[in-house]
Amino acid sequence: MARAEEVNGSGSLDDAPASPREVEIDAADQDTRALNDRLRELLLSGVEKVVIRNVCGQRYIGTRLYTPQHLKMDIEIFGTPGNDLAAFLFGHKITVHGNAQDGVGNTMDAGEVVVHGRSGDVLGFSMRGGEIYVRDGCGYRTALHMKEYEDKRPVLVIGGTAQDFLGEYMAGGIVVLLDLEERGHQANFIGTGMHGGVIYLRGAVDGSQLGSQVGCSPVDPSDRKVLDHYITRFLERLPEVGLSREEIINSPFLRLTPKSKRPYSTLYTY
Amino acid sequence: MKSFVFPEFQIIRDEEKCGQCRGCERQCAFGTHTYDPVADRLISDETKCAGCQRCVIFCPKHAIVVRPAPSFYRPNASWSREKLDDLKKQAETGGVILTGSGNDKPFRIYWDHILLNASQVTNPSIDPLREPMELRTFLGAKPDIMDISAGDGKVEIKTEIGPNLMVETPILFSAMSYGAISYNAFGSLARAACKSGTYFNTGEGGLPKEMRQEFGRCAIVQVASGRFGIDAEYLNCAAAVEIKVGQGAKPGIGGHLPGEKVSQLVAETRMIPQGTDAISPAPHHDIYSIEDLSMLITALKEATNYEKPISVKIAAVHNFAAIASGIVRAGADIIAIDGLRGGTGAAPKAIRDNVGIPIELAISSLDRRLRGEGIRNRCSIIAAGGIRCSADVVKAIALGADAVYIGSAALIAMGCTLCQKCYTGKCNWGICTTDPRLSGRLNMDIASQRLANLISAWSHEIAEMLGGMGINALESLRGNRDHLRGVGLYEWELDVLGIKGAGE
Ligand code: SF4
Ligand code: SF4
């Protein structure tokens, strides 16, 4: 069991508190299951904010926090959470002070993840809602098969760039790659099979890097409004990048969108 | 371009009997029949007919006969008519040939070469009408060692046992997604499952919200590569979660639900925009290894608070048993294997007819492999793909399965005639369609009753067969190959099945 310390609020954990409580736990020596047991226990006891110290590779943080009452929690992580952070996340908020590993936001439904560092492969895989902000870059297969539905429109903002297979099979949502260090976008096979959603790239990309189903155009004023909104949110969450909104937004952006919602409609015969 | 393809069917209308009621015209969604007001008669365009027999069965005068067209190409053992016609279609369109239902090619059906045992004199047979027969089965991981404490006439299980599904009879409904099948067909499966003490499988198209409360307890919800309609609520409302890796009708490839079938309700359930193609990539792109699979299994266990068994469904392909062993070690509680003859709403014909292995061989090799490795208890096996009757179920269990999934059999119970046109979305039987006019033809009360009748009839027959063998519990039949004998099989086939030849 994790050691829990009351940071604010009163009495022991068993007392039903009147006000929202914040709890700090130490994840050193906790395995994945024990840590997630603890988080669930805290959520059910009414805790609304948890700070986890010494996280080292524990997986699926945030995943076991579905409750029929839709209780919500803020989780602040110090250290390096393991794979599948925020998988199936159901509206919680997670901040990582450090790097994240693979599978962040896998099939995430709602909520927010902020990574003060970089993120690994398959970031935002099949994500359908919520927002993810990553200060630095991310790995391969980012935003694969990201989707959207009505008011659920997932957003992924990356301070750096992504690697190959970005946005493959993408069916919805918004991905923004800011390339703040201006290293240039190196990814290949961007948007293969893409049939929905939009990817915004700051800087340039060569046609040869794109899948054949992807159309590329400069952004228009309505795109700029979207970018403006999410860049502002990015900077609010990650002020340490030390750039102003204007510095970022006043640069050339490209918009990648699918040429068709039905990329395979002529493949078959009856 | 003029099509050089023959009509597949010939339609004969008995003009004497026909009363020009135009019923056939309304029944056929393919637009085969039209009324000619000048001649006051119905005309049929045979090129459009799918041979589904809807008009035949619903003609009030029994005036229509639909039969295979007698026209033929010069007979040729190598170039069958189907081969010629498919080739011509492709020359005309340049497309991949799509089809529905399961593999219809004459691969050996092992069920028909396996015979069951019965008791004579010694080990007397049991009369299921008088004696209790246990068909109830638990699906999920069983512990290696069971620790119990006994005392005071009470027995208590001390070992912690993971979640298991309790099924009253070893027959579950196979994954068929809403979108591939109609709302009414989907709902009928759900109702029948709950009524019969078994489970239906949502397939990858989500579970409509209004069904969750009532039918969630009988639902196995699927997580497939497209991840449609999946959120924590969907996962938690169900009895179990199944990761779909592969399907017998189309191992190794994904699926595309065409935009035409993504109606508003389908879109809502899958949580994708209306009219877009629902594309399921061939692999799960977060699973490239057993390690990755293990991660998704655990993620799902986490997402459901370790309260539900996790199943992994794979197609039976060469060497699958070794992969299945990895799947068990990755933490799956149930493995569903789908054989060569498994059905589908849409698959490229080249794949459906040429990829995979027969389920009978697959069950046996999987069961023996897991036993050999000492991990058979760690997961249950559900066999799917080509189960046509209760005897097939009994044979599947004697070969080593814990239960079976039925797909085509369930659709046939609701009216399907295996016309294989499911991918057109125009199923005249209201099953494989999202057109409300067509799906309204399927009455949920009646269809669910037909399904429940089927389950009950098969269960009775299974009890009879068990009783005949002198067995009073399904448990005692599982993997009990001594009760099977092969006829007309080669030595290697008997070896793979692990059974003796008849008379031995
Ligand atoms: S497709 Fe079915 S309903 Fe239409 S003509 Fe053929 S048999 Fe009759
Ligand atoms: S479900 Fe309908 S379209 Fe598909 S095979 Fe059966 S009758 Fe034909």
Side-chain angles (χ1 to χ4, degrees), chain B residues 82 86 97-99 105 347-354 420:
Chain B
E82 184 182 353
D86 284 353
I97 303 262
L98 268 191
T99 186
K105 299 296 172 290
K349 200 190 224 181
I351 306 279
R352 187 198 71 175
D353 290 354
N354 294 289
Q420 310 191 9

Side-chain angles (χ1 to χ4, degrees), chain B residues 289-310:
Chain B
S289 65
I290 291 289
E291 269 299 297
D292 288 348
L293 175 65
S294 167
M295 206 156 76
L296 182 60
I297 291 172
T298 315
L300 290 168
K301 288 186 176 182
E302 283 280 339
T304 55
N305 199 27
Y306 295 86
E307 287 164 9
K308 302 176 196 297
I310 308 294

